[in-house]
Amino acid sequence: MTMRSYAAVAFMMLAAFFTGCNKNNDEAVDANAISVSMQNNESEDAVQDAIDAAEDAFDGVDDGLRSGRTEEPERCATIRINDNTRTITVDYGNGCNIGGNRTRKGKMTITYRGSRNMFAERTVVFDNYNNGSHTINGTVVISDRTLSGTVLSYNVLGTNLTITRPNGRQVQISEFRRSVRYNFGTRPLDVSDDEMQVTGSTTGTTEEGRAFTANIVTPILMKGSCVRANTFYPVSGRYEIKSGGLTIYVDWGNGDCDKKITITVGNITIERTMP
């Protein structure tokens, strides 16, 4: 699992956290705020998982450099490479178990520019790609990949993404922007000293038709040392989610692997230790 995957797990856990608040807090926090937060977090998880699967597939036929990924698509997906058209097709068919009771379905097509190497810009088109719970359609471009010392930097732009939730209703993401800096540390073969810093924003519409924006106002940081300690959460960073007159802040702490999180809606602040 990549650190992107760990971030995705954190987003899902945050969604679950909102549903698990005690009754008094549920009554105090606007129901729309909880709904918007949950749908944003689920959408984040779906997009992050789709990007992770695409990067796995690309690196699995790439340059052989350590990426921290596990080449999950190679376990069961059908991967076709066409060097003439510079495309890689990853087809999970009607259901492909990638391990850990996780099943992926659908298809993605990766088109790359220039040579097929770690610096290539790649455009990923998702065709009913399903991560086991959510189905995603749309396009993501992964670009501006550079390596400086041990730091791999790149940008992500997703446009016109449709995420179909388990209830059959859809969240529309018009724009998903991320800038990522992945530091492999002093021990490239050991994830424990890796760090990933993420900034960016999301613009979309919930299944009820509520427009929302989610901005990372303080960079989100993931630490490989926390992953080694089975703590799959960011250690710091802050989100601001806005929808209509609502503003929600999610704060991941001060850098410790302590699982602590603070959620603020209006003048109400909820502090919890994540499970």
Side-chain angles (χ1 to χ4, degrees):
M1 184 183 288
T2 74
M3 288 178 67
R4 261 194 306 273
S5 296
Y6 299 136
V9 171
F11 289 127
M12 285 193 77
M13 295 302 295
L14 178 58
F17 169 83
F18 273 106
T19 61
C21 292
N22 62 48
K23 184 176 180 180
N24 290 335
N25 284 336
D26 280 347
E27 292 174 347
V29 176
D30 190 295
N32 290 337
I34 296 176
S35 178
V36 170
S37 298
M38 289 177 63
Q39 292 183 53
N40 173 71
N41 294 334
E42 290 179 10
S43 299
E44 291 266 5
D45 172 68
V47 176
Q48 293 286 353
D49 177 81
I51 292 171
D52 187 57
E55 291 288 82
D56 276 343
F58 191 93
D59 278 4
V61 294
D62 194 0
D63 54 334
L65 293 178
R66 177 206 177 267
S67 65
R69 288 182 279 274
T70 56
E71 283 74 40
E72 287 178 339
E74 284 70 19
R75 296 184 184 181
C76 58
T78 298
I79 299 180
R80 297 182 178 89
I81 306 166
N82 188 324
D83 288 326
N84 292 326
T85 60
R86 294 188 173 88
T87 58
I88 301 171
T89 303
V90 185
D91 193 345
Y92 294 94
N94 294 323
C96 174
N97 191 315
I98 63 172
N101 294 320
R102 298 171 62 206
T103 298
R104 285 175 173 160
K105 300 178 182 179
K107 179 181 175 182
M108 63 179 73
T109 302
I110 307 167
T111 303
Y112 58 91
R113 289 188 178 185
S115 300
R116 177 159 44 90
N117 58 45
M118 70 181 297
F119 302 111
E121 177 179 304
R122 56 213 67 174
T123 298
V124 188
V125 177
F126 299 104
D127 182 3
N128 288 323
Y129 169 80
N130 183 281
N131 66 359
S133 59
H134 292 69
T135 299
I136 182 171
N137 287 278
T139 302
V140 168
V141 178
I142 303 168
S143 63
D144 305 316
R145 293 171 65 88
T146 61
L147 184 66
S148 177
T150 61
V151 178
L152 175 67
S153 301
Y154 55 92
N155 294 322
V156 175
L157 175 61
T159 54
N160 299 322
L161 299 169
T162 299
I163 293 92
T164 303
R165 305 180 72 205
N167 62 7
R169 304 182 71 178
Q170 295 180 334
V171 176
Q172 303 291 334
I173 302 296
S174 58
E175 186 175 272
F176 179 93
R177 287 185 178 273
R178 292 292 183 272
S179 293
V180 179
R181 287 173 52 85
Y182 194 111
N183 191 333
F184 292 101
T186 59
R187 301 184 300 276
L189 298 179
D190 183 0
V191 72
S192 64
D193 68 344
D194 290 7
E195 291 190 353
M196 184 173 75
Q197 187 180 83
V198 182
T199 58
S201 62
T202 304
T203 303
T205 306
T206 68
E207 64 176 36
E208 299 88 1
R210 298 189 188 96
F212 71 90
T213 59
N215 292 294
I216 301 175
V217 293
T218 303
I220 297 296
L221 178 65
M222 299 286 295
K223 286 184 177 180
S225 57
C226 297
V227 171
R228 285 294 191 208
N230 294 318
T231 302
F232 305 132
Y233 301 104
V235 299
S236 63
R238 184 175 173 88
Y239 282 83
E240 179 188 69
I241 302 172
K242 289 189 174 183
S243 180
L246 296 171
T247 301
I248 307 154
Y249 290 99
V250 178
D251 196 309
W252 285 100
N254 60 6
D256 297 328
C257 305
D258 56 11
K259 302 183 182 181
K260 292 182 179 179
I261 193 170
T262 300
I263 301 99
T264 301
V265 181
N267 60 357
I268 301 171
T269 296
I270 303 169
E271 294 183 354
R272 287 292 187 275
T273 297
M274 301 297 285

